[in-house]
Amino acid sequence: MGGRVWEAKELFKVGVERIIFMKVVETATELKKLREKLPGPLGFVPTMGYLHEGHLVLVRQAKAENASVAVSIFVNPTQFGPKEDFKQYPRDPERDLALLKKEGTDLVFMPTVEEMYPPGFNSWVEVGRLGRRLEGASRPGHFRGVATVVARLFDLVKPDRAYFGQKDAQQLIVIRKMVADLGMNLEVVAVPTVREPDGLAMSSRNTYLNHEERKQAVVLYQALTLAQRLYSDGEKDAEVIRRKMTSLIQKQPLADIDYISIADAETLEELDMVKPPALVSMAVRIGKTRLIDNIVVAGGCTS
Ligand code: AMP
């Protein structure tokens, strides 16, 4: 399929009903040609696919705030550790394209690994200290992979605005830092986390959870709500809050805590006393599935 632009007729084959103008491209060369024709400003939503409502909210906001919208679907191998789920990561490009079409997406970039990382590729974007805390400490090299692929995508897509979910709070902070440090000419827009009715943050990885795990996974959100409640009731000692979150999570037999953090929302340094804006975040394994979630405690209210 390399090098082709998928036209309307072919999109019918992947189950899209209303075909208008969405273009799907796999190569940088095709992307460049089509990008030039898109009216600006261009909003861009980078994703790893297997789209859910959390992704679609980003697309909708990009659509509302820009003349054109581009979405990338790329499961980026360099942000996965050797023992992580790169191979098993869920993929369903046909369904993704149908969903994006419905949202009125103008352009979808679905590169192959070789397109993004040609043989011999060996230049990387490192976002220093911020990228080594929290997720970066548990997943060494993760943010190097994220920053590098996002820098590559920004360079190819040339967006005016790029949309990222608050669900991956540290990713957002790392990308903002990269954009500022490297003087990239675009605006980074944060979009609030979309949750299931019981509070579980939507994630492509939720599909790994079996029935019992799915039930217990709600404990992440319950722990975040507990942190907010304790803080609102006057508890400012971060360690007391961490401890209470820990014991709540440990009540779920399938839950295994990777980290629980209450950190400064800009520097990501752990706090002794909670001082807004503070990022309360965690990674917890439910069975074999590693889930992350967070809230920002800001002067008594959350986002
Ligand atoms: P991913 O496909 O997991 O790399 O996510 C692509 C983008 O969607 C990232 O900016 C994520 O933060 C964002 N995202 C994923 N899940 C959610 C969610 N539940 N709410 C808001 N944004 C999300």
Side-chain angles (χ1 to χ4, degrees), residues 46-48 52 54-55 58 89 164-165 167-168 171 192-194 202:
T47 81
M48 298 206 299
H52 50 67
H55 297 108
L58 270 65
Y89 195 84
F164 290 88
K167 155 79 167 50
D168 298 282
Q171 171 170 279
T193 302
V194 180
M202 288 192 181

Side-chain angles (χ1 to χ4, degrees), residues 131-145:
R132 288 193 293 270
R133 297 183 184 280
L134 305 174
E135 283 298 283
S138 293
R139 306 179 67 189
H142 172 67
F143 286 112
R144 181 176 101 141

Side-chain angles (χ1 to χ4, degrees), residues 264-301:
D264 180 280
E266 273 170 31
T267 63
L268 297 181
E269 302 220 14
E270 287 302 313
L271 296 170
D272 294 328
M273 301 303 285
V274 185
K275 192 167 141 280
L279 178 70
V280 183
S281 67
M282 63 178 74
V284 177
R285 260 174 229 288
I286 304 285
K288 286 199 175 117
T289 306
R290 187 173 180 282
L291 299 176
I292 58 171
D293 202 351
N294 70 86
I295 52 168
V296 176
V297 173
C301 31

Side-chain angles (χ1 to χ4, degrees), residues 72-86:
S72 62
I73 299 176
F74 180 61
V75 186
N76 174 34
T78 66
Q79 70 189 65
F80 289 78
K83 294 196 182 130
E84 293 180 3
D85 57 344
F86 173 66

Side-chain angles (χ1 to χ4, degrees), residues 224 227-229 231-232 274 276-278 280 295-303:
L224 294 172
Q228 174 60 50
R229 201 168 55 240
Y231 176 75
S232 303
V274 185
V280 183
I295 52 168
V296 176
V297 173
C301 31
T302 51
S303 67

Side-chain angles (χ1 to χ4, degrees), residues 45-58 72 74 79 89 163-169 171-172 189 191-196 200-206:
V45 183
T47 81
M48 298 206 299
Y50 211 72
L51 303 179
H52 50 67
E53 191 60 20
H55 297 108
L56 298 180
V57 163
L58 270 65
S72 62
F74 180 61
Q79 70 189 65
Y89 195 84
Y163 294 78
F164 290 88
Q166 180 64 36
K167 155 79 167 50
D168 298 282
Q171 171 170 279
L172 190 53
V189 182
V191 181
T193 302
V194 180
R195 299 180 178 281
E196 300 287 355
L200 177 68
M202 288 192 181
S203 163
S204 307
R205 288 190 170 100
N206 291 351

